[in-house]
Amino acid sequence: MFRSIRWRLATAFIVLIVVCISGLSTYLVYFVRGNYLSNLESQLSTQAWLVGDVSRPYFVTGQISVDDIAKRVGEQIHTRITIIDKGGVVLGDSEENPATMENHGNRPEVIEALSGGVGSSIRYSTTLGCDMMYVAVPLTVTGALVGFSRVSLP
């Protein structure tokens, strides 16, 4: 029964269809994931620049609390916000007490942002216990680097 030409052709077509569907599914998963991550990075970059603009007065006058800004804005936009000085010391964070946080000067996104652009990385957060996408941008006052604004989402 399975030796007839019909069964051989049907089996060949079924295998061909399964291979094509598997290949297309794999391609679509990677395409959609890449597109999603690219859009998320763009959104976080925009938010990081805005957070930097909001926190810039602290670096000019020192009269406002950066930690309060991080907590208030982070709550409003549902994003983790970290404001870091140029030495890597955390000045404000929307999720944690900045006084207990380690130096962030060696984080990949901060090092990448140090070159003057937008830095991003996807890595495990030991503070929150999950994978996060981080985007950091440099903060400048009259052309001098004063710190970094970093935003992240799981």
Side-chain angles (χ1 to χ4, degrees):
M1 178 172 144
F2 291 110
R3 294 184 181 241
S4 72
I5 191 75
R6 286 184 184 166
W7 280 106
R8 288 181 185 173
L9 282 174
T11 303
F13 278 118
I14 290 171
V15 168
L16 182 63
I17 289 170
V18 167
V19 167
C20 289
I21 288 174
S22 298
L24 183 62
S25 298
T26 302
Y27 169 76
L28 286 174
V29 164
Y30 283 107
F31 176 76
V32 169
R33 183 179 189 273
N35 195 22
Y36 173 75
L37 290 177
S38 176
N39 287 338
L40 181 60
E41 183 178 343
S42 176
Q43 173 190 346
L44 290 177
S45 174
T46 301
Q47 290 177 348
W49 287 112
L50 291 172
V51 168
D53 286 342
V54 170
S55 63
R56 189 166 279 115
Y58 166 81
F59 293 100
V60 175
T61 65
Q63 295 178 350
I64 59 173
S65 169
V66 176
D67 193 44
D68 289 342
I69 289 172
K71 287 180 179 12
R72 186 177 33 131
V73 175
E75 185 178 306
Q76 291 173 351
I77 63 174
H78 308 291
T79 305
R80 182 176 184 196
I81 296 172
T82 308
I83 300 170
I84 307 161
D85 76 1
K86 67 181 176 182
V89 176
V90 177
L91 302 173
D93 189 87
S94 60
E95 303 286 327
E96 296 291 324
N97 179 0
T100 63
M101 297 176 72
E102 61 188 40
N103 189 294
H104 280 41
N106 62 350
R107 304 298 163 100
E109 64 278 1
V110 173
I111 293 170
E112 192 177 340
L114 188 57
S115 66
V118 175
S120 68
S121 83
I122 298 173
R123 58 187 172 73
Y124 184 78
S125 168
T126 56
T127 306
L128 298 179
C130 63
D131 283 336
M132 304 278 287
M133 174 179 265
Y134 295 93
V135 175
V137 298
L139 296 174
T140 58
V141 174
T142 62
L145 178 70
V146 293
F148 302 93
S149 169
R150 186 182 78 168
V151 296
S152 58
L153 280 174

